[in-house]
Amino acid sequence: MSRNSIKILQGALVCEESKLRGDITIGTGTIIHPSATILAEAGPIIIGDCCLIEEQVKIIHRLPFDQQDKENTPVLIIGSHNVFEVDCHVEAPKIGNYNVFESKSFVGNKVTVTNGCIIGAGCKVTQEQILKENVIIYGHDCHMREGLDRPGLQTLQMETLSKMLPNYHHIRKPNKKN
Amino acid sequence: MAHVVGPEVVKYACTCGLLKSISSLYFCRYCCQLRCGFCVCHEVDSHFCGKCCENLPSSEARLKKNRCGNCYICPSCQQELSTRIGSKGPSNPEDPKSTPKKMYYLSCLYCRWSSRDVGIPDQSAATGGWPDRENVNANRLQEIIEMYKAMVLAEKQQKEKDKKKQRGKYLSYTDRTGVTAAALRKRIGLPVDIQHSLLKAKPKEPEPAIAKEDVEDLPEELLTKPVNLTEVTTIEQRLLQIDLQPTTVEKLFPVHKQLSIKRSLRCRSCEHNVSKPEYNPNSVKFKIQLFAYYHVPEIRIVTVEPLRAGRPSELIIKFTNPTQHQTTITILSLVLSGDENEVKEETGDQPSLPQEKQPPSLSSQPSSLLSLSSRQPSITIKPRPVSQEVNADVAIPSSKVILPPRDDAAEYDDSGDTHNIQDDPKLVVWRKSNKAFVKLLVTPKQGLALNTEIVAGFTMQHIYTNTIATTVENREPDKHDHNIRVFLTLGNLVGFD
């Protein structure tokens, strides 16, 4: 991927110091902190609305080795209201809505994340699988349990951030009208 | 602490024969011996809840089955549950402007389990009122407990008849700290649960359990349906609620948090405390802390040359004097087969002790003869031989090392050391304030295989200055030699180059 083409929709807050490579579309209300890394290596990444991407987060669109020779370029679609906490590393090929990736978690590139899932702090998920809705992975041994409901929204936090971040960081200008 | 002195390459032999790092050893000032967690008496000082820091007297803790009444842990992941607020509709449905009614529920911040998951209704008060489930076997258990209590009582009465009842040696300290309802009832003589069973002459035996022949059939769906692991509880989750042992996750209920204890440690030979914490659960300080780290010179390995079988290698170790008194360290050869003196002292054979090693507390004994009965060793500990194999020889130096007292201000003093110590330059490589680097020669034994772990040992004799003011006329702090066997794990044997 030689050329960067970053599309930032109106209302998104993307810090200048974040590292964005490749073809990336960022939806309304999404906040990307400085030093977050989003690499669209294998194909474009489309991030939905109101996602929170914190510091040191790595979102990498990279295909497994056995799928790399395919003709069509896959698109990584990340749904809305996802929270990527500090230093999580996500390579999932598909992410739904309302998911939480807690700090220092790792999601491999064979794991499809549906809706309302929580990957607990420090948990590593690499085995090829489709996570069911509202699945919670937690603990040292990556225990899995099914939650009753999707996790709560981070509205308050995001409101504060959207006020605070522009005071201390350079913000990329939205370049796309929706 | 452990990570400061770790990895555990330097081990001290406790008086009981176990090898421990200095951070896990105690030093009894009265017997002048090392003690470890296995050769001291552990006593429960106080019960407290680690979450709300509430101090409970032991009787109340017993009544509550050693669990906190207000705090809960998550039945799913055993972390503490926190109370969260969820608003639920306005308090007055007719008036739309009224403030929303606050409802409280329990939630685990770790695995996101919440009391709503299992259908526990939200509470209107923050401090609980959470429903406690009755144990289905509660009556049966109560019956059995009562029977055993009655049996204990009957046995006690029998003993009392035979001879006078011996008073317990120690009172539980938690009973003294506060007067609880239960303790008060006891004091004014109202019936506490044991009391009424006194009237019964013979313990009433509950109905014996009857074995059943017909058991439930194995549900067929276990074999036909795929198992959904997210619905089945783990062994840990089941054993957390031992009275119910739920098999599915919808039967998990919050569990009362288990109380923690503060304990004091007591030397078994002289029954002085070696460690005693403060009562307050918020405090992490100690009233008495006779840790070996504060009394015994600390040894650390600085460098060691590659170890080759039969060849001497240079080993540099650092001695640190933690006390406020100057000490002299002599390195002696290791005696593995147990010191004669130690054996005698351990068996409580006090008159045969050498005069200079006599513990100061014993010298003042004639005045405290009354307390002698309680001062006698509760349990005589037979020292075990040290099981550590030593496969390297240490060349024993002829000279001694003097360590100046610890001076906390010396760290910030640039004027250099004022101690004029004539050192043997072959032995002491470098010194600063209360530390000294000492060079030793270690020779691994001949004929060892490659990659064998080399363990060297020696006896460190240091002068211990006892500061306990024992008698009025004896103002001089008495000094005596104290021998400690030290084992150093130096690394693996390498080949010849």
Side-chain angles (χ1 to χ4, degrees):
Chain A
M1 197 64 56
S2 54
R3 215 171 47 84
N4 282 351
S5 116
I6 316 291
K7 292 184 266 311
I8 302 170
L9 266 70
Q10 206 67 280
L13 197 72
V14 181
C15 288
E16 194 81 65
E17 294 97 326
S18 58
K19 191 178 163 194
L20 309 174
R21 298 280 176 277
D23 188 352
I24 299 165
T25 310
I26 295 159
T28 311
T30 290
I31 296 175
I32 299 180
H33 280 244
S35 82
T37 308
I38 300 172
L39 304 180
E41 283 179 11
I45 296 180
I46 299 170
I47 299 174
D49 299 341
C50 298
C51 286
L52 175 59
I53 299 174
E54 297 185 350
E55 287 99 337
Q56 309 283 346
V57 168
K58 290 183 243 3
I59 299 172
I60 300 171
H61 184 25
R62 187 191 285 154
L63 286 181
F65 286 116
D66 50 342
Q67 292 175 26
Q68 269 174 2
D69 304 324
K70 282 189 183 159
E71 286 284 302
N72 49 343
T73 49
V75 182
L76 166 58
I77 299 173
I78 297 174
S80 307
H81 299 281
N82 292 301
V83 179
F84 296 84
E85 290 185 11
V86 175
D87 205 11
C88 70
H89 186 147
V90 179
E91 296 189 8
K94 202 176 167 203
I95 297 169
N97 306 320
Y98 303 105
N99 299 295
V100 178
F101 300 88
E102 288 186 10
S103 302
K104 293 220 176 249
S105 58
F106 177 84
V107 178
N109 56 10
K110 289 175 178 171
V111 184
T112 307
V113 182
T114 56
N115 300 319
C117 295
I118 300 172
I119 317 292
C123 290
K124 285 190 168 54
V125 187
T126 47
Q127 188 68 40
E128 183 166 358
Q129 61 188 314
I130 298 168
L131 290 180
K132 273 195 237 162
E133 297 214 350
N134 300 340
V135 156
I136 301 163
I137 297 174
Y138 67 96
H140 183 257
D141 304 317
C142 293
H143 288 293
M144 202 184 273
R145 57 177 287 266
E146 216 168 312
L148 195 69
D149 208 355
R150 57 171 202 232
L153 294 179
Q154 296 284 340
T155 337
L156 215 69
Q157 161 87 345
M158 290 184 63
E159 268 175 31
T160 315
L161 281 174
S162 56
K163 281 180 205 147
M164 294 279 288
L165 277 178
N167 294 341
Y168 300 98
H169 295 280
H170 298 288
I171 304 294
R172 283 178 195 241
K173 283 208 178 70
N175 51 11
K176 204 86 189 271
K177 290 262 152 53
N178 44 344
Chain B
M1 185 76 164
H3 69 276
V4 178
V5 291
E8 288 187 11
V9 288
V10 179
K11 285 187 176 169
Y12 293 65
C14 174
T15 318
C16 69
L18 286 175
L19 293 185
K20 299 259 169 142
S21 74
I22 192 167
S23 57
S24 47
L25 282 168
Y26 306 93
F27 184 79
C28 179
R29 286 200 296 182
Y30 301 90
C31 334
C32 286
Q33 289 293 343
L34 286 179
R35 304 280 175 214
C36 68
F38 287 105
C39 56
V40 290
C41 281
H42 296 244
E43 289 163 21
V44 176
D45 261 7
S46 60
H47 300 258
F48 67 98
C49 171
K51 187 166 185 260
C52 61
C53 280
E54 196 194 347
N55 213 340
L56 285 112
S58 68
S59 54
E60 202 176 325
R62 209 177 302 142
L63 212 68
K64 287 182 170 175
K65 299 191 172 74
N66 288 328
R67 285 174 191 279
C68 178
N70 306 323
C71 303
Y72 291 89
I73 60 166
C74 175
S76 170
C77 65
Q78 289 102 52
Q79 302 293 312
E80 282 154 12
L81 287 174
S82 45
T83 312
R84 310 205 77 189
I85 305 170
S87 51
K88 198 176 155 190
S91 52
N92 191 357
E94 277 121 66
D95 183 12
K97 275 180 190 166
S98 64
T99 48
K101 203 175 164 189
K102 274 181 184 167
M103 296 301 273
Y104 298 90
Y105 65 98
L106 295 171
S107 155
C108 174
L109 299 178
Y110 191 55
C111 72
R112 315 246 177 173
W113 182 91
S114 85
S115 59
R116 289 174 169 176
D117 281 19
V118 289
I120 299 175
D122 290 2
Q123 298 292 316
S124 49
T127 51
W130 298 102
D132 273 327
R133 281 150 312 117
E134 271 301 299
N135 184 355
V136 281
N137 296 319
N139 287 337
R140 168 90 181 156
L141 280 171
Q142 197 56 39
E143 254 176 50
I144 294 172
I145 289 170
E146 254 156 40
M147 184 198 74
Y148 279 116
K149 271 183 183 166
M151 274 166 79
V152 168
L153 205 72
E155 250 172 52
K156 243 185 204 169
Q157 283 168 340
Q158 190 65 40
K159 259 188 194 169
E160 260 173 71
K161 269 183 201 167
D162 292 347
K163 56 173 183 176
K164 271 205 165 182
K165 187 189 154 200
Q166 245 186 342
R167 268 193 69 84
K169 251 176 207 167
Y170 313 115
L171 287 164
S172 180
Y173 282 106
T174 47
D175 286 338
R176 286 189 195 165
T177 52
V179 179
T180 59
L184 205 66
R185 278 168 69 90
K186 216 184 220 172
R187 204 168 291 172
I188 58 175
L190 277 175
V192 185
D193 43 354
I194 310 173
Q195 223 59 13
H196 58 78
S197 56
L198 215 160
L199 304 170
K200 294 172 197 163
K202 242 187 177 178
K204 179 195 147 206
E205 287 200 21
E207 292 165 38
I210 303 154
K212 260 199 290 186
E213 205 170 274
D214 48 322
V215 287
E216 277 176 53
D217 283 335
L218 184 76
E220 210 163 273
E221 55 190 49
L222 276 184
L223 301 168
T224 51
K225 280 188 184 168
V227 181
N228 186 358
L229 282 178
T230 54
E231 282 176 8
V232 183
T233 53
T234 63
I235 293 287
E236 285 84 13
Q237 289 166 350
R238 281 177 212 191
L239 294 182
L240 191 69
Q241 305 184 42
I242 206 110
D243 48 345
L244 295 162
Q245 302 188 21
T247 44
T248 48
V249 285
E250 60 263 33
K251 285 184 199 147
L252 290 174
F253 285 95
V255 183
H256 282 283
K257 185 174 170 58
Q258 211 150 25
L259 295 176
S260 310
I261 56 156
K262 288 203 166 199
R263 59 184 183 167
S264 58
L265 306 176
R266 199 182 281 276
C267 173
R268 282 200 213 174
S269 322
C270 66
E271 305 210 333
H272 282 95
N273 271 33
V274 291
S275 163
K276 192 172 180 58
E278 285 184 0
Y279 286 126
N280 187 1
N282 289 315
S283 168
V284 293
K285 289 179 183 161
F286 290 88
K287 281 184 190 159
I288 301 168
Q289 43 174 356
L290 299 177
F291 302 147
Y293 196 74
Y294 298 130
H295 296 275
V296 173
E298 189 200 346
I299 298 175
R300 282 180 170 229
I301 298 176
V302 180
T303 55
V304 58
E305 282 185 341
L307 297 153
R308 298 189 169 90
R311 298 255 192 101
S313 350
E314 196 181 276
L315 164 71
I316 294 177
I317 49 178
K318 182 173 89 173
F319 287 93
T320 312
N321 179 14
T323 62
Q324 301 287 344
H325 307 277
Q326 179 171 299
T327 186
T328 307
I329 288 173
T330 319
I331 293 169
L332 306 168
S333 60
L334 187 71
V335 186
L336 270 181
S337 55
D339 229 342
E340 272 305 301
N341 276 345
E342 278 171 24
V343 177
K344 272 180 189 160
E345 195 162 331
E346 277 311 311
T347 47
D349 198 2
Q350 282 144 2
S352 68
L353 274 175
Q355 204 57 42
E356 75 275 5
K357 277 197 89 175
Q358 189 158 347
S361 69
L362 298 174
S363 60
S364 63
Q365 252 180 11
S367 59
S368 58
L369 263 176
L370 279 176
S371 62
L372 193 68
S373 57
S374 67
R375 283 286 162 88
Q376 249 159 17
S378 49
I379 305 150
T380 40
I381 325 133
K382 266 194 177 168
R384 274 166 286 191
V386 176
S387 55
Q388 178 71 49
E389 291 269 329
V390 171
N391 49 14
D393 297 317
V394 179
I396 302 302
S398 52
S399 46
K400 298 178 176 184
V401 184
I402 296 168
L403 283 182
R406 179 171 67 96
D407 181 9
D408 290 328
E411 292 277 319
Y412 311 102
D413 191 2
D414 295 330
S415 59
D417 287 326
T418 47
H419 310 287
N420 257 327
I421 301 164
Q422 299 298 314
D423 276 327
D424 180 358
K426 276 184 199 156
L427 185 65
V428 179
V429 187
W430 177 86
R431 69 158 67 233
K432 193 187 179 190
S433 61
N434 62 336
K435 306 175 193 78
F437 281 24
V438 169
K439 184 165 77 178
L440 294 174
L441 281 180
V442 180
T443 316
K445 285 184 177 146
Q446 284 281 12
L448 289 171
L450 278 185
N451 284 328
T452 319
E453 195 171 62
I454 299 297
V455 179
F458 58 84
T459 303
M460 173 178 71
Q461 186 182 64
H462 68 109
I463 294 177
Y464 179 67
T465 313
N466 211 329
T467 48
I468 323 162
T470 49
T471 45
V472 188
E473 65 269 20
N474 186 14
R475 277 295 163 102
E476 273 291 293
D478 56 337
K479 300 182 170 197
H480 36 84
D481 294 339
H482 180 231
N483 289 358
I484 303 167
R485 288 168 291 173
V486 182
F487 294 85
L488 309 166
T489 310
L490 299 175
N492 292 350
L493 201 72
V494 295
F496 294 94
D497 44 10

